[in-house]
Amino acid sequence: MINRRAFLAAAPVVGAAVVAGPALAATDADADVVVAAGGDVPGLDVGWPEKMVEVGFDFAKRAPYSIVHEVVLPAKPRVVFDVLADPAPWPRWLSSVQKVEYRKPFGPGTVRDVVTNGIGTIREHFFCWDEGERFAFSVSSSTSPLLTTFYEDYVLKPVAGGNTRLIWTVACQAKPWAFFAGPALMTVFKINTPGA
């Protein structure tokens, strides 16, 4: 069994990039966009819930703001997947995270609530959950009114020596009046994620 502290300490960051993409209209009609239904919000009993636009894999290519981090980790993809899926360590990795809670079962359709410092509580819907290989989610609701869309994708690829290349993509779109939110959030991810 791999020691989680050693696993994280030995992870050299091999690259990160912030990419600006085309503006996304609020009335986007692409097939991968689903507006969260009103029935999605119950359970997020932490304040004022803001419905967000749920998206799929295509969003990262056309998001106004996105960042991609790549890192080689000293463990097999299955071990890395299990560590990332575990809610307990997230507050230790990212100081902006207070608590992570899943609504099981794990798989496509899994819901995760994340309580953060600064942007409130967000509810994530996983539309991809491939054990040991990949998971991706889109935020369906939040207590913060700044963003219309937020997306993350974690891809795990085996590499030489029993290691794993993790490709982590984060993308978002802010509300027009909160034009500062997208660049600010991507800057925070760019600065803090390698340390995490």
Side-chain angles (χ1 to χ4, degrees):
M1 185 77 174
I2 191 166
N3 177 294
R4 289 183 189 202
R5 181 173 289 152
F7 167 80
L8 295 171
V13 173
V14 296
V18 176
V19 181
L24 177 65
T27 57
D28 196 310
D30 286 348
D32 71 333
V33 176
V34 179
V35 177
D40 176 59
V41 178
L44 189 59
D45 301 323
V46 292
W48 174 58
E50 179 76 15
K51 289 188 290 183
M52 295 176 66
V53 177
E54 292 189 59
V55 294
F57 291 119
D58 184 56
F59 180 70
K61 298 175 188 173
R62 58 190 171 77
Y65 298 97
S66 64
I67 188 168
V68 177
H69 284 279
E70 291 192 23
V71 61
V72 174
L73 301 169
K76 293 184 178 181
R78 181 61 209 209
V79 173
V80 175
F81 187 94
D82 289 344
V83 168
L84 291 172
D86 184 352
W90 282 95
R92 293 194 309 269
W93 299 340
L94 295 170
S95 61
S96 61
V97 174
Q98 290 181 10
K99 180 181 177 185
V100 174
E101 182 178 286
Y102 283 95
R103 300 182 187 283
K104 298 180 181 179
F106 294 141
T110 291
V111 173
R112 182 170 73 176
D113 292 339
V114 179
V115 180
T116 71
N117 296 310
I119 60 170
T121 299
I122 58 175
R123 171 157 288 176
E124 304 164 340
H125 276 183
F126 287 80
F127 60 86
C128 173
W129 189 284
D130 296 332
E131 294 281 339
E133 298 177 8
R134 183 178 200 176
F135 60 81
F137 66 82
S138 180
V139 173
S140 62
S141 55
S142 171
T143 58
S144 170
L146 298 177
L147 300 177
T148 59
T149 309
F150 185 83
Y151 158 96
E152 289 188 41
D153 184 13
Y154 299 74
V155 177
L156 307 170
K157 296 185 175 182
V159 293
N163 296 322
T164 299
R165 180 177 300 279
L166 167 64
I167 305 166
W168 182 15
T169 303
V170 180
C172 74
Q173 178 181 354
K175 291 193 174 178
W177 61 266
F179 60 90
F180 57 88
L185 187 59
M186 292 302 106
T187 299
V188 168
F189 270 97
K190 185 176 183 181
I191 292 169
N192 294 327
T193 302

